[in-house]
Amino acid sequence: KNEVEQSPQNLTAQEGEFITINCSYSVGISALHWLQQHPGGGIVSLFMLSSGKKKHGRLIATINIQEKHSSLHITASHPRDSAVYICAVGRGADGLTFGKGTHLIIQP
Amino acid sequence: KAGVTQTPRYLIKTRGQQVTLSCSPISGHRSVSWYQQTPGQGLQFLFEYFSETQRNKGNFPGRFSGRQFSNSRSEMNVSTLELGDSALYLCASSKDRNTEAFFGQGTRLTVV
């Protein structure tokens, strides 16, 4: 079993829909990262969380440390949000451990 | 503020050769981590350097090595290349461990 599980693996939605991507992890962590990767490979860091909730524009990330679960929400989704969203956890001395990613397609 | 710069962006090498990839972190960042991304395995941690010292290493063979210079620039080296080493290699810089990581665009290595 992977230490970091993301769901769904693939998601296709219509422009304007509210999107939720989930991430569950099985070990204690020091921080959780949400990353965005567009075709071509470059990765952008969206959020780093160790507790609570963060918001940036139309993106919201939450984490529940007790339940070892995090969610990434996109409000008023737009075709430019189409990308792979990756959850990664940091555990102090170890490097980041990544989920397999969620492939999101927003159709106009 | 300049981002993380990786060179080269694309590379084609033959089996058995060696390759060196470079990563220039954001100014002021002392931690550089390297990751390998393949379609089958996804993103995997290779190693982390901080102030010229390797702090941690992932589960990769000894053919994968790296170093960090006094200006925080880092290089990774892969010797005796195998077809399975074909991947996107990403580096990320941060001020320290457990702080926000900024990724470069990656080097896409193809081994033929």
Side-chain angles (χ1 to χ4, degrees):
Chain A
K1 186 181 187 299
N2 289 334
E3 291 181 356
V4 182
E5 297 277 356
Q6 280 187 242
S7 63
Q9 259 187 294
N10 298 284
L11 179 57
T12 300
Q14 295 298 122
E15 184 173 356
E17 286 189 36
F18 181 83
I19 303 298
T20 295
I21 299 170
N22 296 298
C23 175
S24 296
Y25 52 93
S26 57
V27 296
I29 65 170
S30 51
L32 183 142
H33 302 250
W34 280 103
L35 310 170
Q36 180 193 57
Q37 186 172 33
H38 281 282
I43 289 179
V44 174
S45 175
L46 299 174
F47 296 102
M48 189 181 82
L49 293 159
S50 53
S51 65
K53 176 179 173 178
K54 287 190 176 181
K55 183 175 190 290
H56 181 70
R58 296 179 295 105
L59 301 178
I60 303 165
T62 63
I63 188 168
N64 184 318
I65 297 293
Q66 286 73 31
E67 295 189 3
K68 294 186 170 60
H69 181 269
S70 176
S71 293
L72 175 69
H73 305 287
I74 305 174
T75 62
S77 59
H78 190 275
R80 65 175 174 266
D81 297 327
S82 298
V84 177
Y85 292 84
I86 302 167
C87 170
V89 299
R91 292 188 288 141
D94 298 332
L96 293 178
T97 301
F98 300 86
K100 296 290 187 189
T102 295
H103 294 248
L104 175 65
I105 297 172
I106 304 296
Q107 295 177 334
Chain B
K1 187 169 174 180
V4 179
T5 303
Q6 289 188 246
T7 57
R9 290 291 312 278
Y10 302 92
L11 205 47
I12 300 175
K13 288 287 189 179
T14 304
R15 265 184 308 176
Q17 287 186 311
Q18 75 165 22
V19 67
T20 299
L21 311 181
S22 178
C23 173
S24 294
I26 290 172
S27 177
H29 286 191
R30 293 197 293 167
S31 173
V32 175
S33 297
W34 287 90
Y35 302 91
Q36 182 196 64
Q37 186 177 35
T38 59
Q41 298 297 319
L43 275 158
Q44 293 182 283
F45 169 70
L46 278 159
F47 25 65
E48 181 210 359
Y49 286 88
F50 183 85
S51 293
E52 301 179 67
T53 301
Q54 186 182 91
R55 283 205 293 201
N56 200 8
K57 191 177 195 302
N59 189 23
F60 278 83
R63 300 185 297 106
F64 291 81
S65 63
R67 58 179 176 168
Q68 187 179 33
F69 302 95
S70 58
N71 62 358
S72 292
R73 189 177 71 86
S74 178
E75 289 180 346
M76 68 162 279
N77 183 277
V78 188
S79 62
T80 319
L81 284 165
E82 301 176 0
L83 295 179
D85 298 332
S86 295
L88 180 67
Y89 290 88
L90 290 151
C91 84
S93 82
S94 58
K95 289 183 181 177
D96 200 345
R97 183 176 286 159
N98 297 324
T99 59
E100 187 177 9
F102 295 84
F103 286 79
Q105 289 293 306
T107 294
R108 188 165 296 279
L109 171 65
T110 302
V111 182
V112 298

